[in-house]
Amino acid sequence: MPMIYKLLPMQTIISQVTTGAHTTLRLFSRQLNLSSLRFSSSKATLKPKSPPTKMVDYRLMHIIRDIPTLRTHRRNLLRSNLTVGLVPTMGALHEGHISLVRAAAAENARVFVSIYINPTQFGVSEDLSTYPQTWESDLAQLRALDAELAETPGMGRVDTVFAPSTKAMYPTLPPDSREDGVGSFVQITPVGGILEGKSRPVFFRGVATVCMKLFNLVQAERVYFGQKDVQQTVVIRRMVKDFHLDTQVMIVPTSREEDGLAMSSRNVYLGARRRAVGVVLSRALRAAEEAYVAGKRSRDEILAAAWNVANQVALEQDALAPEQRALFEVDYISLADPDTMEEIEAVDERKGAVLSGAVKMLPLEQIQPGEVLGQGGDVAPVRLIDNIPLEPR
Ligand code: AMP
């Protein structure tokens, strides 16, 4: 179709092309430099001297909610020889999630992001019903990233957001979160039962089960997980190996706030006071890492550095008045083998180790007038986790 450019107030001309199930917005970026246009007549109709210099392909992301559509779409990509990277999430996306999508786009032609709050990984008394949901913002972030990727040579695209219903994900029985609950589950032991698994007994069973479902559905060449949830990465790697799943598990470093707090969807529960004290965990782990870097290898020496920080902050908070303090409890601080997450007495420097920890930020005892509160009003405890890999030396 011949294109005639008329004098337009904008610098862009957008045409919409529909090809089968896929709608594509093509945006022809043009520097409308008047010297590159010639007037064809006194009617001021402009024609370009040369065709558009740059064509950027702004596809609309597929938003898929049902399994047959997902499978058909995946099959089409396979026929086109396009590789797929999967980023499983529970939504409430932040920079940490986006870094996973970016990593996936660097290594795959198409990225699928799943957004699904999986009920079976929440214990019966956990925050399933209040877990943050920010669907519009999630889509906006993914679209913005995709627009950026479209302009970056060599990068893949954010192709699909898979947001299934629970009925689709658990087709036979309603999901059951009780420890002795019934259903079809994947259980990875012993790693799923220690550390986080001790505090949250159904958590890794739920994670492994939903990831097995997602991996079966998406058939991705690569799956992307955050270092932030280190024990989860060990569980997933083990599952992929033991069940011969044909995918590669890729781990992306932890994204942090400026003061070191690991980004997390649950940080929205922290008002200003608990947020400020919540950085204690990353500070404690950082101190232990420094001990390792300084040459310490024994468990006692490395973990003492972490406990010194945690105890110091706890004492400072204890000394404050109830309307000023944010109390917390350390659930655990661990020095573990990176392949099994089992506790070790000393770091084998050829293998390295994982420092990890969890703290429970307790509800505020007294709220001050005008105080900046988190989602939910800082009345429920919030569990924060973090880790630092100690690299082999
Ligand atoms: P979630 O939505 O919390 O289940 O997380 C989805 C994925 O994002 C998991 O693989 C997490 O490990 C990863 N993730 C969450 N927070 C971060 C972060 N701060 N840095 C890197 N990855 C993260």
Side-chain angles (χ1 to χ4, degrees), residues 1 14-26 57-60 62:
M1 183 177 73
I14 299 173
S15 76
Q16 185 158 335
V17 181
T18 304
T19 50
H22 200 111
T23 302
T24 302
L25 279 180
R26 290 210 176 117
D57 191 5
Y58 284 96
R59 288 153 217 281
L60 295 183
H62 297 258

Side-chain angles (χ1 to χ4, degrees), residues 13 45 56 84 151 168 180 223 273 305 308 314 334 348 379:
I13 297 164
T45 300
V56 179
V84 169
E151 308 239 24
D180 60 353
V223 291
R273 202 178 344 156
N308 282 344
S334 152
D348 174 348
V379 295

